[in-house]
Amino acid sequence: MKNKMKLSLNTIRKKMLFYFLMSIALVSSVSVYLSINSNKFFRKIDAMFLSSVLLEDMQNYLAESEKNLALFIRTKDSDSKNNYQLNADLLNENAEKLKNILLADDYNIERLTNLIDTFTKNAEEAIYAKQGRDANTMREKYNYVHQVGKYIMEEIQWLNLQQLKQNTEYYSALARNNIIVQKANFVMIVDILVLSCIIIFYITYKMTDPIMKLSQSAEEISKGNFDVDEVIVTSEDEIKIMAEAFNKMKSSVRNYIEELHNKSEIESKLMEKEMQNLKMQTLLNNAELQSLQSQINPHFLFNTLNAGVQLAMMEEAERTSCFLENLAAVFRYNVRRLDKEVTLNDEMNSVRAYIDLMKVRFGDMISFSVDIKDDELLQLNMPPLILQPIVENACIHGIGEKEEGGNIDIRVFRDEKDGLIEIVDNGVGMDKEVIDGILGKASAEETMPEKPKKGHTTGIGITNVIQRLRLYYRKDDIIDISSVKGKGTRVVIRIPAQEGKTCTS
């Protein structure tokens, strides 16, 4: 690619044209960027006030609908009926438009649309009763329509007020962001100007420096000094051609001994460079080979573990076979993709396999208990690799730091409609400041990736677990951590039954 660039810029004219077009492209890019940001700002402003305009129109359409309905009830005028129908249709149309707009406080638009449906349905029944001369039904339906209209008007006014508050806050934030963007744009413009000046100075230097060297060498040769250094030009243009011709002219007056000496010296340098290139290529080939040899296919590891299980079974080493099966199960589960949901039953199976591994590692130092009160909860969907990191923390940081060991209890039970997963240990515990730090880090908008901790199998920390739970269930109170220093820690995960869809397979 570098050689192609040199070939394409092999004249001063092409270089000047290229650098000129590059400067224009930089300035144009900044202009386009500023224009796009400006358009985005104004589009956000328009979208921000669209909901307020729709709500204001809905108030007018509702008032006109009630007015024309009342006029029809009194006069039975067909124009009043048509005007009512027109305004009612516009009212419903605006309500449908509101469904595509994010309203304040996540307002449920279905409540407003249901009121409007009730309003139009009873209004039509009142019109039908009026046409059928059923005065009692007409009076009853009209009074009910009037009452529902009040409810709708109050609902629209309340929603309009909330929307106004939200739009005010959003506009303030947007204005602050716009100031930041303006400052960033200013810095960008200054950077472009500075970069353009640097490019201009660099090009000027690269073009005039070889000419000055040629002038100095020509002056020395005119004085009879043929031992001046050769003029070296790295650019591929007319100046290099001039420098090469000048160097050839100077070399032609030297004797044959100097020419042979220079030639042998050049050949020696070329040979040394080729040897260096050959050594460098050998080093690169060795590095590439080592890189290929260091790549281990997870399927190879699974197959190897399975072969170990079969070998242990053939040798009747049941504990070793069970250990390898659990290790393969934990590893297979840990390398799965984190964006694929699993069931609580899958999580519990992985935790059981991990517990069996910890029993081999710690022996009687740590005791485990698993209590599932409701088997139906095992079919709830959840993100993968949630329970194992919590149990790992309890083993390594809770019980592992106690010489006498301890207990880890896992319970799954139902609390009203929600499912609860409780993990309790009697380890060293932690201070409230530590818990607040964990929850605060999980609530941060921008978080740095967690470094893998020694002794952990997944590299997934408790902060990552909390963040994925909150994103999956869209709730902040999805997990609760309580601890007493020196007594232990209790972690409770609440799975909302109405949002945790069950897996039927």
Side-chain angles (χ1 to χ4, degrees), residues 314-325:
M314 292 174 61
E315 295 178 352
E316 297 183 356
E318 295 183 0
R319 293 187 62 190
T320 303
S321 174
C322 182
F323 178 82
L324 291 176
E325 286 181 352

Side-chain angles (χ1 to χ4, degrees), residues 408-421:
I408 297 178
D409 301 322
I410 304 174
R411 290 200 315 137
V412 178
F413 56 96
R414 189 183 297 274
D415 179 22
E416 296 180 356
K417 294 183 178 181
D418 297 336
L420 296 184
I421 306 171

Side-chain angles (χ1 to χ4, degrees), residues 34-167:
L34 295 177
S35 177
I36 292 174
N37 279 345
S38 177
N39 290 334
K40 285 183 178 179
F41 177 78
F42 287 110
R43 284 200 300 268
K44 289 179 179 179
I45 293 295
D46 293 339
M48 188 172 63
F49 291 102
L50 177 60
S51 58
S52 298
V53 173
L54 291 175
L55 291 172
E56 187 69 25
D57 291 341
M58 288 178 69
Q59 289 181 342
N60 296 331
Y61 295 148
L62 178 62
E64 287 296 320
S65 297
E66 290 190 90
K67 174 183 175 182
N68 285 282
L69 179 62
L71 186 61
F72 176 77
I73 294 298
R74 290 195 305 268
T75 64
K76 206 175 180 180
D77 181 35
S78 59
D79 291 338
S80 300
K81 177 183 175 183
N82 293 334
N83 290 334
Y84 156 76
Q85 190 63 48
L86 175 62
N87 286 279
D89 291 340
L90 292 173
L91 181 63
N92 281 289
E93 182 179 340
N94 277 21
E96 289 296 324
K97 291 180 180 179
L98 283 177
K99 291 182 178 180
N100 299 323
I101 298 176
L102 182 62
L103 299 176
D105 299 328
D106 294 330
Y107 176 78
N108 186 7
I109 191 63
E110 295 296 333
R111 183 169 64 183
L112 180 60
T113 56
N114 289 337
L115 286 174
I116 294 174
D117 291 341
T118 303
F119 175 84
T120 55
K121 179 180 178 182
N122 285 272
E124 291 175 358
E125 291 178 357
I127 293 172
Y128 182 77
K130 176 66 176 179
Q131 293 173 340
R133 299 182 179 180
D134 188 350
N136 293 331
T137 302
M138 181 270 296
R139 189 178 301 108
E140 178 185 353
K141 294 296 181 180
Y142 176 76
N143 291 334
Y144 186 69
V145 167
H146 183 68
Q147 188 65 30
V148 173
K150 290 183 179 179
Y151 293 152
I152 296 174
M153 186 65 70
E154 293 174 357
E155 191 77 11
I156 293 176
Q157 290 175 350
W158 177 85
L159 181 57
N160 200 6
L161 179 61
Q162 298 301 316
Q163 201 69 21
L164 180 61
K165 292 180 180 179
Q166 176 177 284
N167 289 344

Side-chain angles (χ1 to χ4, degrees), residues 333 342-356 369-372 374 377-379 382 385-388 391 409-412 420-423:
Y333 190 78
V342 297
T343 62
L344 177 56
N345 187 48
D346 295 330
E347 282 286 288
M348 292 303 301
N349 289 337
S350 176
V351 169
R352 288 190 180 97
Y354 177 78
I355 288 174
D356 289 339
S369 68
V370 178
D371 184 15
I372 300 176
D374 190 345
L377 295 176
L378 295 178
Q379 300 304 317
M382 64 186 302
L385 288 176
I386 295 297
L387 302 184
Q388 183 180 325
V391 176
D409 301 322
I410 304 174
R411 290 200 315 137
V412 178
L420 296 184
I421 306 171
E422 181 184 62
I423 302 173

Side-chain angles (χ1 to χ4, degrees), residues 465-479:
V465 169
I466 297 173
Q467 290 174 333
R468 287 191 295 118
L469 282 172
R470 288 177 175 176
L471 287 173
Y472 184 82
Y473 294 109
R474 297 182 181 179
K475 290 180 179 292
D476 291 335
D477 57 348
I478 200 69
I479 188 169

Side-chain angles (χ1 to χ4, degrees), residues 282-295:
T282 303
L283 291 175
L284 290 174
N285 292 337
N286 291 337
E288 183 178 359
L289 178 60
Q290 292 174 359
S291 175
L292 291 173
Q293 291 175 342
S294 65
Q295 296 177 5

Side-chain angles (χ1 to χ4, degrees), residues 314-449:
M314 292 174 61
E315 295 178 352
E316 297 183 356
E318 295 183 0
R319 293 187 62 190
T320 303
S321 174
C322 182
F323 178 82
L324 291 176
E325 286 181 352
N326 291 326
L327 178 61
V330 170
F331 185 79
R332 184 181 293 107
Y333 190 78
N334 286 355
V335 298
R336 70 185 298 137
R337 292 179 58 181
L338 294 181
D339 58 349
K340 301 294 185 181
E341 62 182 16
V342 297
T343 62
L344 177 56
N345 187 48
D346 295 330
E347 282 286 288
M348 292 303 301
N349 289 337
S350 176
V351 169
R352 288 190 180 97
Y354 177 78
I355 288 174
D356 289 339
L357 293 178
M358 292 300 100
K359 287 180 180 179
V360 175
R361 176 181 174 185
F362 293 101
D364 297 333
M365 180 180 176
I366 302 179
S367 63
F368 298 89
S369 68
V370 178
D371 184 15
I372 300 176
K373 299 293 186 181
D374 190 345
D375 291 337
E376 292 183 359
L377 295 176
L378 295 178
Q379 300 304 317
L380 289 177
N381 283 358
M382 64 186 302
L385 288 176
I386 295 297
L387 302 184
Q388 183 180 325
I390 299 175
V391 176
E392 279 186 334
N393 278 337
C395 289
I396 298 173
H397 303 295
I399 308 299
E401 297 182 6
K402 293 180 64 176
E403 294 182 359
E404 66 274 17
N407 305 321
I408 297 178
D409 301 322
I410 304 174
R411 290 200 315 137
V412 178
F413 56 96
R414 189 183 297 274
D415 179 22
E416 296 180 356
K417 294 183 178 181
D418 297 336
L420 296 184
I421 306 171
E422 181 184 62
I423 302 173
V424 182
D425 68 79
N426 60 347
V428 297
M430 51 187 167
D431 298 328
K432 186 177 184 299
E433 290 78 8
V434 178
I435 299 176
D436 293 340
I438 293 173
L439 297 176
K441 186 177 179 181
S443 301
E445 293 183 0
E446 296 183 2
T447 57
M448 296 296 294

